[in-house]
Amino acid sequence: MNKLFNIFLLAAIPLTLLRPTAVAAQEKQYDLPRKGNVQVSVIVGAGTYVTKTAPVPDLTDYSISAPIINWFDKSPILELEGRWFFTDRWAAKLTAGFAMNVSPRQDAVAGLFEEGTTNLTVTDIPNYLGVGGSENYQLSFSLGADHYWDLGKGLMFRLGAEGGFAYAKAKYKANDEDNYYDPSKGMAYMVNVSPVAGLDYYVTRTLFLSIGVRVLTYQYSLYSEIPQPGLKTLAADSHTFNFLGRPELKIGFTF
């Protein structure tokens, strides 16, 4: 009997010693960010900032409008975000995104066929018309701060506010360099403010997943274009209010 008791005791002692370590490891899994921590994350969302194309420079009439900008357009948005916890429950954040598209201008290439011909033969070479060049740039960033509440088991609720700015610029270089040697231009600006709510789930001490939404957003947008150098700017603006807009998913890391 004593021998069995001693065997049981010898087996129980290591388990007893390992239990605090296992509990500590389990608690460590749900360690939440604290003052001084930095987070870096990638955001995928639905919405629209501002986009603009440059006008063709040889039209007789020009008009412009400021489209309504809201997340119902369902355009994908990809951004990078950085956060810094200046207290255990307050974090400042910077979010930014950038996109660029450049299409070089192509010169026209003259063909080889008899003048006045309407239908080419297999030995004729058609004209290749020139292609206008374009440049499009989009930039967005926002600043804000969030307060966090610990809901337990690695789950945190956050509520804060942010202000954002977006800018888009487009240029179009006509294929007719003799008459339009400078490109036409199109520009768009946007500023917005909104309260933001979200849930963060800490899978491990460093890895977390998040969902968020803009509770209410006010956005001001200004669109303008200049068809040819020396002409007056043509502009239009808009005011937009969105409720529960721009839902987003986020994956991030805490350092």
Side-chain angles (χ1 to χ4, degrees):
M1 184 71 178
N2 290 334
K3 186 176 181 180
L4 293 175
F5 177 78
N6 291 334
I7 294 174
F8 175 79
L9 185 61
L10 291 174
I13 290 175
L15 293 176
T16 304
L17 294 175
L18 289 173
R19 177 176 172 79
T21 304
V23 172
Q26 185 177 9
E27 292 177 350
K28 186 176 182 180
Q29 181 182 3
Y30 299 111
D31 279 351
L32 302 177
R34 294 290 185 265
K35 180 180 179 181
N37 284 151
V38 174
Q39 292 182 340
V40 178
S41 55
V42 177
I43 299 174
V44 178
T48 302
Y49 287 117
V50 287
T51 58
K52 189 71 182 73
T53 57
V56 179
D58 56 356
L59 302 180
T60 58
D61 299 281
Y62 288 93
S63 64
I64 191 173
S65 62
I68 297 174
I69 303 299
N70 58 61
W71 76 271
F72 293 103
D73 296 333
K74 294 182 174 60
S75 298
I77 291 178
L78 181 65
E79 297 176 311
L80 294 177
E81 182 183 86
R83 288 175 179 261
W84 171 59
F85 282 79
F86 54 91
T87 74
D88 287 346
R89 289 294 178 263
W90 279 97
K93 65 178 181 178
L94 170 64
T95 307
F98 177 75
M100 177 181 67
N101 177 271
V102 177
S103 298
R105 191 184 69 82
Q106 303 293 333
D107 293 328
V109 179
L112 183 61
F113 53 86
E114 186 177 349
E115 186 176 353
T117 301
T118 57
N119 296 316
L120 301 184
T121 67
V122 294
T123 58
D124 293 331
I125 300 175
N127 292 323
Y128 279 15
L129 301 181
V131 178
S134 64
E135 298 178 15
N136 297 79
Y137 304 93
Q138 291 176 272
L139 171 68
S140 68
F141 69 88
S142 63
L143 293 171
D146 291 321
H147 185 271
Y148 288 76
W149 286 267
D150 183 4
L151 303 182
K153 296 297 183 180
L155 190 64
M156 298 189 77
F157 173 74
R158 55 183 167 84
L159 180 64
E162 68 177 21
F165 171 80
Y167 171 70
K169 184 176 182 179
K171 295 182 180 180
Y172 179 77
K173 181 73 171 180
N175 52 31
D176 182 4
E177 282 194 324
D178 294 333
N179 297 316
Y180 306 105
Y181 52 89
D182 284 332
S184 60
K185 299 178 181 179
M187 292 161 286
Y189 303 85
M190 180 275 292
V191 292
N192 66 23
V193 292
S194 62
V196 183
L199 285 173
D200 294 356
Y201 175 64
Y202 288 81
V203 182
T204 67
R205 187 177 186 277
T206 57
L207 174 66
F208 69 93
L209 304 175
S210 176
I211 58 174
V213 67
R214 272 67 180 171
V215 181
L216 177 66
T217 302
Y218 165 72
Q219 182 168 298
Y220 173 76
S221 304
L222 174 64
Y223 292 78
S224 63
E225 60 184 38
I226 304 176
Q228 296 172 209
L231 295 182
K232 182 180 178 181
T233 301
L234 183 62
D237 59 357
S238 67
H239 303 267
T240 305
F241 292 89
N242 283 326
F243 179 65
L244 297 180
R246 276 198 58 202
E248 63 182 25
L249 298 175
K250 178 168 55 177
I251 180 171
F253 299 89
T254 303
F255 300 95

